[in-house]
Amino acid sequence: MREPVSISGPTAPQPDLQELMGSVARGDGDAFAALYDRVAGPVLGLVRSVLRDPAQAEEVAQEVLVEVWRRAAHFQPHKGSAMAWIMTMAHRRAVDRVRSAQSATDREHKAALLARTPAFDEVTEEVEARLEREQVRRCLRALTERQRESVTLAYYRGLTYREVAELLALPLGTVKTRLRDGLIRMRDCLGVGT
């Protein structure tokens, strides 16, 4: 058997990545196409190993290759190979995507927790209301029996002074005095106006 004959002749040696990067830095689209063909597979493989999600891996690999096109002039051959520069860029971009996704997940988790937890102010208001109710009860217990009875009827049952007087079978003036004295003691006990 004979070997197939190549019509195009011997293949020219391919430029190395350093040379291609220099040409890409000068805006050579053909050089970028050649560079793309040589590094797209390794870039995608590296990104896929970090991200695991094929769709995101393809997106990040594309972003990296666009960044190579834009930043080719920043490549410094004396600091390392072109492949190392590109793969470092790919790894960093993939890790950034993982971190970004994790941050988004964390934010969503915190938002869900906040939605289930009552707001701080609601809790504070409830505690303060309980403390105030307890203080009012304590101050009511400090009144005389007659004062407590008049205050309770007027302010907790909503009766008018006249209705309190009729219910207790007392003169209106006596009820007013008891209420006034009881409210003064309540004010002093609660520390209102001091």
Side-chain angles (χ1 to χ4, degrees):
M1 274 210 159
R2 288 181 26 181
E3 298 229 356
V5 178
S6 173
I7 299 176
S8 63
T11 57
Q14 291 186 352
D16 70 357
L17 288 178
Q18 313 306 64
E19 293 172 14
L20 287 174
M21 285 297 293
S23 298
V24 171
R26 292 186 295 279
D28 184 342
D30 292 333
F32 180 71
L35 178 81
Y36 183 95
D37 290 340
R38 292 188 44 199
V39 300
V43 165
L44 182 58
L46 172 69
V47 171
R48 206 177 248 174
S49 72
V50 174
L51 291 175
R52 307 265 186 237
D53 177 11
Q56 280 198 21
E58 289 175 12
E59 185 178 317
V60 169
Q62 181 180 10
E63 291 171 5
V64 169
L65 293 166
V66 168
E67 189 173 355
V68 167
W69 169 256
R70 290 182 181 153
R71 296 182 41 87
H74 296 283
F75 169 66
Q76 299 173 356
H78 65 278
K79 289 188 174 181
S81 70
M83 183 60 94
W85 185 72
I86 293 169
M87 296 303 273
T88 299
M89 198 180 307
H91 185 263
R92 287 180 180 161
R93 184 64 67 103
V95 169
D96 287 347
R97 179 63 65 96
V98 169
R99 288 178 180 152
S100 175
Q102 185 60 47
S103 293
T105 300
D106 291 348
R107 281 191 303 274
E108 290 171 6
H109 181 70
K110 286 178 184 176
L113 286 176
L114 288 174
R116 285 188 275 146
T117 306
F120 175 78
D121 290 339
E122 290 175 23
V123 172
T124 302
E125 288 176 17
E126 179 61 30
V127 169
E128 287 176 355
R130 282 186 190 166
L131 291 173
E132 288 173 358
R133 285 191 299 266
E134 183 53 40
Q135 187 175 11
V136 168
R137 286 186 196 110
R138 184 177 48 78
C139 291
L140 271 173
R141 286 191 298 264
L143 298 178
T144 66
E145 181 64 34
R146 293 176 179 173
Q147 290 170 340
R148 184 174 39 254
E149 185 179 44
S150 298
V151 168
T152 302
L153 290 172
Y155 290 97
Y156 289 98
R157 290 174 97 197
L159 300 179
T160 65
Y161 288 7
R162 185 169 307 284
E163 291 170 333
V164 171
E166 289 173 7
L167 186 65
L168 297 177
L170 293 171
L172 182 58
T174 303
V175 169
K176 286 182 178 181
T177 301
R178 285 183 185 173
L179 284 168
R180 186 196 69 218
D181 292 345
L183 292 176
I184 289 171
R185 287 182 73 180
M186 288 287 292
R187 181 195 67 201
D188 292 343
C189 179
L190 293 170
V192 178
T194 56

